[in-house]
Amino acid sequence: MIVEYENLLILAAFLALGLITLMLMEWRERKRKKGAEANPQADHMVRVPVDDECCGRHAVCERESLLTTKPEIVYYDDEELDRLSGLSPEEYTPEDMRELNDVFTTLRSEDVVGWLRSLQLRNITLPEELRDEALMIVAERRAKAAHRQQPD
């Protein structure tokens, strides 16, 4: 009889742990949704993993980081894109798309990170196809930089 009582206690403990886990997961999901509602552009923003070794306070680090310590907007001969601020990519006209693509395709690869940072500061969202291509360039540059830093 004592063995059955201990088994019931263990089962109850596992059920309680499961319920607590479920409640925490639900709380975290609600918190995430609330954050997404506060920033509806978040789904369209460029997210790139941050390099833990880079503090962002040096010119070299900041040039390669999408995060910036100073909110200084740098223009890449693209001032006309400011009219897209706050719009979602679905609202862009074909002319808007062409202008975004023209600016992107004329950038040097080392300027892509700075341009993405500039767009973020200006609240301009890239269309998915351009965003994916830009992130690929950023990832390639980071991989090359990491490879150069590795000792032989």
Side-chain angles (χ1 to χ4, degrees), residues 58-93:
H58 302 94
V60 173
C61 296
E62 217 169 87
R63 193 175 63 231
E64 295 297 324
S65 174
L66 290 175
L67 304 174
T68 183
T69 56
K70 51 189 177 241
E72 177 184 329
I73 296 174
V74 177
Y75 286 92
Y76 292 80
D77 197 22
D78 64 347
E79 294 82 2
E80 69 278 359
L81 297 178
D82 281 347
R83 73 179 184 285
L84 303 176
S85 180
L87 297 176
S88 73
E90 293 79 29
E91 298 175 89
Y92 294 168
T93 66

Side-chain angles (χ1 to χ4, degrees), residues 11-121:
L11 181 62
F14 276 119
L15 286 174
L17 184 62
L19 283 173
I20 290 171
T21 303
L22 218 60
M23 288 175 12
L24 287 173
M25 288 172 57
E26 180 66 26
W27 174 76
R28 189 177 78 192
E29 184 65 21
R30 284 184 185 170
K31 187 175 176 184
R32 187 189 63 77
K33 283 183 181 176
K34 186 184 280 187
E37 288 171 6
N39 187 2
Q41 296 283 338
D43 288 339
H44 299 291
M45 295 191 77
V46 177
R47 292 185 187 98
V48 174
V50 178
D51 184 2
D52 292 335
E53 295 178 16
C54 183
C55 63
R57 293 186 182 160
H58 302 94
V60 173
C61 296
E62 217 169 87
R63 193 175 63 231
E64 295 297 324
S65 174
L66 290 175
L67 304 174
T68 183
T69 56
K70 51 189 177 241
E72 177 184 329
I73 296 174
V74 177
Y75 286 92
Y76 292 80
D77 197 22
D78 64 347
E79 294 82 2
E80 69 278 359
L81 297 178
D82 281 347
R83 73 179 184 285
L84 303 176
S85 180
L87 297 176
S88 73
E90 293 79 29
E91 298 175 89
Y92 294 168
T93 66
E95 177 66 19
D96 297 335
M97 297 290 282
R98 188 190 60 71
E99 285 183 19
L100 275 166
N101 192 51
D102 287 349
V103 172
F104 176 67
T105 56
T106 57
L107 287 173
R108 299 178 313 185
S109 66
E110 56 267 16
D111 290 335
V112 172
V113 171
W115 185 60
L116 292 174
R117 189 172 47 241
S118 173
L119 292 178
Q120 284 181 341
L121 290 171

